[in-house]
């Protein structure tokens, strides 16, 4: 029997194998999972970054907590930094971002807040997702810490989940979704994309006929042999 971590590893394998995007994964999650308003600092960034989440926190205009906890990041993880009451100040800049990517070997950095040193970060091609940029940074001395109850909730929800970052934004598959059902959902989403685009590109169907009416599920619908398995799985999924 697979354990939770096994399913997490399998989910990462499927995402990489199929080249799934955040849009497709959000659909597999029932149109949920987004870390809101986080986008790549490089507007033309075309890579997809995937890794287990390491939650970090910054509060009350200080990034001391991030400095304190940054060494906990493990190779290939994606630190996700949550903020509270930071008054539109940047949480990290070039030094901290490069430490996480180059020294701790994080796959990417996500900041649910602002960053600075945008010029240096873009010149260095650092894979960072954030809500925006500003030249004004946080102080690095102690302050009132991130609210403990909210921190615990965010850690329970996101820490150890799988983050997927691409041009559209950031999605996290929480640990509670490390299941066989989630694996099947991801496969089904890719099957659906293959069949949908065949119906549009080759058969000339309109989107209502494809998406709303699901005419490809009708008994008299035929499809090329290479799409047979995808269609069969879609029919099985629809009958569940």
């Amino acid at each position: 029997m697979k354990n939770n971590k096994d399913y997490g590893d399998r989910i990462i394998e499927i995402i990489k194998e199929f080249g799934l995007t955040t849009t497709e994964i959000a659909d597999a999650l029932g149109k949920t999972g987004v870390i809101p308003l986080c986008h790549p600092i490089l507007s033309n960034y075309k890579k997809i970054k995937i890794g287990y989440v390491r939650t970090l926190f910054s509060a009350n205009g200080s990034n001391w907590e991030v400095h304190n906890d940054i060494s906990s990041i493990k190779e290939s993880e994606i630190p996700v930094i949550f903020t509270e009451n930071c008054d539109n100040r940047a949480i990290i800049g070039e030094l901290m971002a490069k430490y996480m990517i180059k020294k701790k070997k994080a796959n990417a950095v996500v900041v649910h807040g602002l960053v600075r040193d945008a010029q240096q970060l873009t010149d260095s091609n650092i894979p960072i997702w954030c809500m925006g940029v500003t030249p004004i940074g946080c102080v690095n001395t102690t302050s009132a810490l991130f609210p403990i109850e909210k921190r615990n909730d965010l850690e329970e929800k996101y820490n150890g989940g799988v983050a997927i970052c691409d041009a559209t934004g950031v999605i996290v598959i929480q640990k509670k979704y490390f299941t066989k059902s989630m694996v099947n959902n991801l496969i089904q989403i890719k099957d659906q994309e293959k069949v949908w685009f065949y119906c549009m590109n080759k058969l000339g169907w309109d989107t209502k006929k494809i998406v709303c009416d699901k005419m490809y599920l009708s008994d008299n619908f035929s499809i090329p042999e290479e799409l047979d398995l995808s269609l069969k799985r879609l029919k099985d999924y629809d009958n569940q």
Side-chain angles (χ1 to χ4, degrees), residues 61-220:
S62 167
N63 60 7
W64 182 89
E65 283 187 85
V66 182
H67 284 288
N68 188 61
D69 296 335
I70 200 172
S71 61
S72 67
I73 298 167
K74 292 183 170 60
E75 184 173 347
S76 300
E77 289 185 332
I78 294 181
V80 178
I81 304 172
F82 292 99
T83 67
E84 177 83 7
N85 191 33
C86 285
D87 299 324
N88 292 318
R89 292 174 177 266
I91 310 305
I92 65 170
E94 181 185 15
L95 181 70
M96 296 176 77
K98 286 186 173 178
Y99 177 79
M100 288 185 268
I101 296 296
K102 296 183 179 296
K103 298 298 183 181
K104 300 303 291 183
K105 300 188 183 304
N107 280 354
V109 178
V110 176
V111 181
H112 195 236
L114 306 181
V115 304
R116 64 178 184 171
D117 298 329
Q119 187 65 55
Q120 294 92 324
L121 292 171
T122 54
D123 288 347
S124 301
N125 203 33
I126 296 294
I128 186 165
W129 278 252
C130 62
M131 297 174 73
V133 298
T134 177
I136 307 300
C138 285
V139 300
N140 52 24
T141 54
T142 56
S143 69
L145 300 181
F146 197 96
I148 187 64
E149 186 174 338
K150 187 174 181 180
R151 176 179 178 137
N152 290 341
D153 287 344
L154 289 168
E155 285 184 331
E156 175 62 27
K157 185 175 183 179
Y158 292 111
N159 201 51
V162 171
I164 305 91
C165 312
D166 66 12
T168 306
V170 179
I171 288 288
V172 174
I173 302 174
Q174 297 175 39
K175 298 188 299 294
K176 68 181 181 179
Y177 297 123
F178 289 2
T179 62
K180 184 177 181 180
S181 177
M182 188 68 224
V183 169
N184 291 339
N185 284 353
L186 292 169
I187 294 171
Q188 182 264 337
I189 286 294
K190 197 60 183 181
D191 288 334
Q192 180 176 272
E193 291 292 304
K194 291 178 181 178
V195 173
W196 280 8
F197 280 97
Y198 170 79
C199 291
M200 182 180 73
N201 294 333
K202 299 298 184 181
L203 302 181
W205 289 8
D206 62 38
T207 57
K208 179 179 181 296
K209 189 173 182 179
I210 298 167
V211 178
C212 302
D213 300 337
K214 298 183 180 181
M215 294 300 294
Y216 54 87
L217 296 178
S218 64
D219 291 337
N220 61 352

Side-chain angles (χ1 to χ4, degrees), residues 16-54:
K16 290 180 177 179
E17 179 184 349
F18 292 161
L20 293 172
T21 66
T22 53
T23 300
E24 292 166 328
I25 295 163
D27 283 351
L29 287 166
K31 303 187 185 299
T32 65
V34 70
I35 302 292
L37 303 177
C38 287
H39 301 286
I41 195 170
L42 288 164
S43 60
N44 62 344
Y45 198 76
K46 296 181 180 179
K47 295 181 180 178
I48 296 177
K49 294 294 184 177
I50 306 165
Y52 285 104
V53 172
R54 172 71 57 174

